[in-house]
């Protein structure tokens, strides 16, 4: 962070500072300040069983017209103990995606994609970990922070988000298929009486919904999660492939 600030100062800009502030506005909810000293935590006097980890910044420059600076705060999850539980996130297979598009075409279904913003941060952290706040935390610098949300970089974050989204889809009446657990189905019926299966495909935070009426599910998801701006609509590209409906 200090290096990013130094570059801003030398160039007379605030590009990196703005990128850091934007990221902090999103991830601050992942931390809970604890009113004890780092020394007390390290001695195990408070919250025994909690591990200390460090945070890292990942910086990038987006190749757009403005060369937008991007910053991502991640946890050093590689230093934590290995978990007994599964740690993967939801990743639908490409074959399932191809079959879903074929079924949508055959049955005359609408296809809508949506991207959940800061998906992992919606889920709780399943590990007992804490960190000492750096300068990016402003007045809280040096404080003990418990990590209470599934911060990027933690071993459990992917599975925690997948579990939370699964609970949401189950509440909407969907069930995972046996062939691909990241394809969710629910019986549907068109106004003309045609019966079929509505589908939801999940690739981490990218959601693909197939139905004769996609609004109920998309609206329900928007109640539970914040979608990335402009991400909801008919997909033009999905998982690296161009998408087009041919009549």
């Amino acid at each position: 962070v200090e290096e990013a600030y130094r570059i801003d100062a030398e160039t007379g800009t605030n590009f990196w500072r703005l990128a850091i502030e934007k990221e902090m506005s999103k991830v601050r909810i992942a931390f809970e300040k604890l009113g004890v000293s780092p020394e007390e935590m390290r001695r195990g006097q408070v919250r025994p069983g909690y591990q200390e980890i460090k945070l890292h910044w990942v910086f990038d420059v987006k190749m757009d017209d403005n060369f937008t600076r991007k910053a991502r705060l991640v946890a050093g999850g590689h230093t934590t103990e290995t978990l007994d539980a599964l740690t993967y996130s939801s990743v639908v297979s490409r074959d399932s995606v191809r079959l879903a598009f074929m079924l949508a075409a055959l049955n005359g279904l609408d296809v809508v994609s949506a991207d959940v913003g800061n998906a992992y941060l919606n889920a709780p952290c399943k590990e007992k970990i804490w960190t000492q706040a750096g300068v990016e935390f402003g007045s809280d610098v040096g404080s003990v922070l418990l990590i209470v949300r599934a911060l990027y970089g933690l071993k459990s974050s992917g599975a925690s988000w997948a579990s939370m989204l699964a609970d949401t889809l189950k509440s909407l009446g969907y069930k995972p298929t046996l062939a691909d657990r990241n394809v969710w189905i629910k019986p549907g019926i068109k106004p003309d009486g045609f019966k079929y299966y509505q589908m939801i495909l999940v690739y981490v935070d990218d959601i693909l919904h197939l139905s004769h009426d996609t609004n109920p599910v998309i609206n329900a998801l928007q109640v539970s999660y914040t979608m990335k701006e402009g991400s909801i609509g008919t997909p033009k590209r999905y998982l690296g492939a161009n998408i087009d409906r041919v009549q």
Side-chain angles (χ1 to χ4, degrees), residues 11-195:
T11 58
T13 63
N14 62 350
F15 295 140
W16 289 117
R17 180 176 293 277
L18 292 177
I20 292 169
E21 291 177 352
K22 181 179 180 181
E23 175 69 1
M24 289 303 299
S25 70
K26 297 175 181 177
V27 304
R28 190 62 180 83
I29 60 171
F31 302 92
E32 180 181 302
K33 184 178 178 181
L34 202 60
V36 299
S37 70
E39 290 70 26
E40 289 176 298
M41 286 294 290
R42 293 180 183 123
R43 289 196 296 265
Q45 295 175 270
V46 183
R47 303 293 178 103
Y50 274 71
Q51 289 182 270
E52 180 182 7
I53 68 168
K54 294 186 180 298
L55 304 179
H56 306 281
W57 280 95
V58 179
F59 297 100
D60 191 18
V61 178
K62 189 175 182 180
M63 293 294 102
D64 56 13
D65 294 338
N66 299 315
F67 294 101
T68 304
R69 274 64 166 179
K70 300 183 68 176
R72 171 63 64 86
L73 182 64
V74 299
H78 61 290
T79 63
T80 62
E81 297 177 359
T82 302
L83 303 175
D84 294 329
L86 295 175
T87 59
Y88 65 86
S89 188
S90 303
V91 179
V92 66
S93 75
R94 291 182 180 274
D95 288 340
S96 295
V97 174
R98 293 188 183 99
L99 288 171
F101 277 117
M102 180 188 70
L103 291 172
L106 290 174
N107 296 322
L109 305 178
D110 290 333
V111 180
V112 170
S113 62
D115 193 351
V116 181
N118 299 296
Y120 282 15
L121 297 179
N122 289 288
C125 177
K126 294 184 177 181
E127 302 175 61
K128 294 182 176 181
I129 49 179
W130 68 279
T131 190
Q132 186 172 354
V135 295
E136 61 270 24
F137 286 89
S139 60
D140 289 332
V141 60
S143 300
V144 170
L145 302 175
L146 300 183
I147 298 180
V148 296
R149 297 287 183 97
L151 190 66
Y152 288 96
L154 296 176
K155 294 175 180 175
S156 64
S157 292
S160 183
W161 160 244
S163 176
M164 184 175 189
L165 181 59
D167 289 341
T168 300
L169 298 182
K170 289 175 183 177
S171 71
L172 296 177
Y174 282 79
K175 296 181 179 180
T177 62
L178 296 177
D180 189 334
R181 304 295 291 180
N182 299 304
V183 176
W184 296 72
I185 59 174
K186 176 183 178 180
I189 183 169
K190 287 186 174 183
D192 62 4
F194 178 76
K195 296 181 180 180

Side-chain angles (χ1 to χ4, degrees), residues 196-211:
Y196 69 100
Y197 279 104
Q198 303 174 86
M199 305 175 71
I200 297 176
L201 285 68
V202 180
Y203 191 96
V204 188
D205 55 1
D206 289 329
I207 296 172
L208 200 65
H209 181 37
L210 291 72
S211 174

